[in-house]
Amino acid sequence: MVGGAGAFGARLVAGLAATTELRVIVAGRDLARAEAVARTVPDGRGRAVRLDATRADAAELRVLGAAVVVDAAGPFQGGVPVLARAAIEAGLPYLDLADGRDFVAAFPVLDAAARAKNVVALTGASSTPALSNAVLDALTAGWRSIETVRVAIVPGNRAPRGLSVMRAILSYAGQPVRVLRAGTWQNRPGWGLLGRIAVPGLGRRFASLCETPDLDILPARFPRLQTALFRAGLELPVLHWGLSLASLPVRWRVLPSLLPFAHPFLAMAGWLDRFGSDRGGMSVEVLGRDAAGQPTRAVWSLVAEAGDGPFVPTLPALAAIRRLTDPSAASIPPGAYPCVGVLPLGAIEAEMRRLAIRTRRDTDHPVPLFERALGAGFARMPEAVRALHGAVGDSAFRGRAEVLRGRGRLVALVALLFRLPPAMEDGSIRVTMEPHFEVGAERWTRHFPGRRFSSRMRLAGPDGSGRVRERFGPFAMDLAVSAHADGLDMAVTGWRLGPLPLPRFLRPTTRASERVDALGRFRFDVALFLPLVGRLVHYRGWLVRCDEREDETP
């Protein structure tokens, strides 16, 4: 095992020593460290050798007499599969713990050579993509559609951090990361999309966008998938926010990368090791329609206690090694490919039994926001209106719109504040909806040429019957919603600045309706008026569901 003395490699060695009778060769560039780990393998089954994964060749591997070659060295971001190529040439099974998106994406270039040698070569036998995809396969067996997937990993602050892990994180912090959101391929900054996620049994923690193989693998595996997010978090807010702030110069292109600062960042994180906890977790959330066609949300979560979290990335590799070395186990097809669809979730969870790790599954059938607000009235609306408001996962609609704008400096100022679209006679429009059932809200984003504006909706009041609150930054308006056979109507009943209700004479008014045209398309007509000023903006047009993914317009 190359990198067997590293943060994850040493734990994989420990797993092999505790659960198998295999002899373990601990390899690395630092022979002294490799020897120290090899001595932990009982009964003299461990030995150490000096080997550089970036320079290894087939002859060197043959001399070792290994049955399986494992690369746990990292970081894999920007790496080249030298060791994998050497293992294939030597006719030896290979697997790695790669979490580098580029590394995993390029790995199948070795597939023809692996097939020719009848050799198995697996990449990503780790938390991503092996464990995350095994979870998805278990949660969604028989489902009709998978619309949204959100994966998150939140280690405890006392979890050991090696230089390879730090370099992996800094390689993408602030860099553009291509991610699928609501049917659109977007570039978002690494360690951006900051939010808080809840892991059952662990609580809420901050998490940000990571560059991982799942961002490519999930959209490729599930053609109807609209959103695939992978985020990670640091337990201490000061560290998480600190990295977010440190990534700003990279976002602004003042610095090309944070990689040169890996050693100082590692030292600063070490100063805070005494704080936080040794409890970490992982969650995989999926939304779609189950075998019966019901809107469904399923969540698999993991909580690791007593500092056992760093074992989790090694468990898929341990399960794969067990299968590769067991003559009675079902064979893994030869070839070079990501470790996806190879290991069932049960095989990976079985490796957790000796550790302080517990998992759980939660499934429910969430009701979309407007269906909750309208109750039985929701079913009376035309199908096109119900389709727009009834998605359980993220969704996107496209169409055409006309935009009329009021005049005057006050109108221009308010329009700038809310990022309202400019006037246009007939332009393209794209609307995306992102439900967040865990907090009972939906995020709506309207994309006009050169402009987009977003709002967040939730029920207004404790029961929310017939009322929705839509928030634009610090402002919020309460809407009375009514459904009928022709569609949906909305009227403003109140405005707020933060928690404070605005006086009636300062309240903007609105006129909004949703209908279906002769072609069966969803039609919208929204007008917003300012007191004493008149029309602020009036936009109307049609929308249809996006059947194909699109690239975001710069």
Side-chain angles (χ1 to χ4, degrees):
M1 181 186 307
V2 182
F8 298 126
R11 285 170 171 78
L12 182 52
V13 170
L16 290 168
T19 66
T20 76
E21 297 299 321
L22 296 172
R23 296 184 177 276
V24 183
I25 303 170
V26 183
R29 287 177 290 188
D30 188 329
L31 184 59
R33 291 182 63 201
E35 288 174 335
V37 173
R39 285 193 292 270
T40 66
V41 183
D43 304 323
R45 291 186 288 120
R47 67 184 178 99
V49 298
R50 181 180 285 111
L51 190 145
D52 186 343
T54 64
R55 298 181 180 179
D57 58 33
E60 194 173 5
L61 296 181
R62 289 192 192 100
V63 169
L64 293 177
V68 179
V69 177
V70 180
D71 188 352
F76 293 92
Q77 287 77 4
V80 179
V82 174
L83 188 62
R85 187 175 287 110
I88 292 170
E89 186 179 341
L92 297 171
Y94 164 92
L95 62 88
D96 61 45
L97 278 65
D99 60 354
R101 184 180 186 178
D102 54 348
F103 185 95
V104 173
F107 196 80
V109 73
L110 304 175
D111 188 60
R115 289 175 181 272
K117 289 279 190 175
N118 198 35
V119 167
V120 176
L122 302 175
T123 187
S126 191
S127 304
T128 168
L131 176 54
S132 55
N133 279 268
V135 168
L136 279 173
D137 290 342
L139 291 178
T140 64
W143 279 28
R144 294 186 183 180
S145 67
I146 298 171
E147 300 170 12
T148 297
V149 176
R150 303 185 186 105
V151 184
I153 294 178
V154 285
N157 186 59
R158 296 178 191 170
R161 290 174 288 265
L163 183 61
S164 293
V165 174
M166 183 60 68
R167 288 181 61 83
I169 295 172
L170 297 185
S171 70
Y172 60 77
Q175 304 286 357
V177 173
R178 184 170 164 83
V179 59
L180 180 67
R181 294 184 67 201
T184 304
W185 284 106
Q186 309 172 356
N187 282 326
R188 291 293 178 264
W191 214 252
L193 299 181
L194 177 66
R196 298 191 73 184
I197 60 123
V199 177
L202 192 63
R204 298 181 66 82
R205 291 189 181 179
F206 286 108
S208 294
L209 177 64
C210 293
E211 179 98 280
T212 74
D214 276 337
L215 298 183
D216 292 323
I217 289 174
L218 295 176
R221 292 192 71 203
F222 306 110
R224 295 185 62 181
L225 187 67
Q226 295 292 297
T227 291
L229 283 181
F230 197 111
R231 293 185 290 179
L234 304 176
E235 182 182 8
L236 297 184
V238 65
L239 285 178
H240 195 101
W241 280 88
L243 181 54
S244 292
L245 292 173
S247 71
L248 291 179
V250 179
R251 298 191 199 186
W252 299 335
R253 300 184 180 180
V254 176
L255 290 176
S257 172
L258 291 179
L259 274 173
F261 304 97
H263 285 283
F265 271 82
L266 191 60
M268 286 187 287
W271 298 338
L272 298 174
D273 274 350
R274 71 187 70 181
F275 302 102
S277 72
D278 58 4
R279 304 176 72 240
M282 177 177 177
S283 70
V284 178
E285 176 191 28
V286 56
L287 297 102
R289 294 189 177 270
D290 64 13
Q294 279 190 289
T296 304
R297 173 176 177 259
V299 180
W300 175 93
S301 57
L302 171 155
V303 173
E305 310 273 358
D308 281 351
F311 281 95
V312 174
T314 72
L315 300 181
L318 183 57
I321 293 170
R322 192 182 305 282
R323 186 168 169 186
L324 286 168
T325 56
D326 182 357
S328 65
S331 61
I332 299 176
Y337 47 89
C339 188
V340 172
V342 174
L343 301 170
L345 178 59
I348 302 174
E349 288 185 326
E351 305 294 346
M352 302 176 186
R353 292 171 186 162
R354 63 188 174 87
L355 303 167
I357 297 174
R358 65 182 188 276
T359 65
R360 60 181 280 180
R361 301 186 194 186
D362 297 283
T363 302
D364 58 22
H365 301 287
V367 179
L369 174 66
F370 275 76
E371 188 171 351
R372 283 186 290 147
L374 295 168
F378 186 84
R380 292 197 294 267
M381 298 189 300
E383 195 280 332
V385 179
R386 286 187 281 112
L388 185 133
H389 289 292
V392 65
D394 296 354
S395 57
F397 293 77
R398 61 173 176 81
R400 309 290 297 181
E402 173 191 21
V403 180
L404 305 173
R405 283 272 294 270
R407 298 179 180 179
R409 294 182 179 178
L410 180 58
V411 167
L413 178 62
V414 175
L416 181 64
L417 178 65
F418 287 99
R419 295 186 57 81
L420 297 177
M424 63 182 185
E425 291 185 4
D426 180 31
S428 63
I429 180 175
R430 182 179 175 90
V431 179
T432 60
M433 283 83 77
E434 301 170 85
H436 295 274
F437 292 106
E438 67 277 13
V439 294
E442 290 183 0
R443 182 177 179 83
W444 285 51
T445 305
R446 296 89 169 166
H447 304 257
F448 293 89
R451 188 72 58 85
R452 69 181 178 190
F453 70 101
S454 296
S455 63
R456 193 172 179 89
M457 297 189 190
R458 63 174 68 237
L459 294 180
D463 59 357
S465 178
R467 294 180 298 146
V468 172
R469 179 166 297 162
E470 185 169 16
R471 183 172 298 279
F472 303 83
F475 294 94
M477 61 179 176
D478 290 342
L479 298 167
V481 293
S482 58
H484 44 77
D486 292 330
L488 177 70
D489 294 316
M490 290 179 276
V492 174
T493 60
W495 275 82
R496 297 171 180 270
L497 176 59
L500 303 177
L502 292 176
R504 184 178 297 274
F505 72 91
L506 289 178
R507 292 178 186 172
T509 58
T510 189
R511 184 179 68 244
S513 65
E514 298 175 355
R515 300 289 187 269
V516 178
D517 65 15
L519 298 178
R521 301 176 304 194
F522 173 92
R523 292 200 66 88
F524 58 90
D525 191 324
V526 180
L528 186 62
F529 302 90
L530 289 176
L532 307 178
V533 175
R535 181 175 64 199
L536 174 60
V537 66
H538 183 185
Y539 56 96
R540 56 195 175 197
W542 56 267
L543 294 169
V544 294
R545 182 181 289 275
C546 294
D547 294 323
E548 297 181 358
R549 295 163 184 161
E550 300 182 6
D551 285 297
E552 184 176 62
T553 303

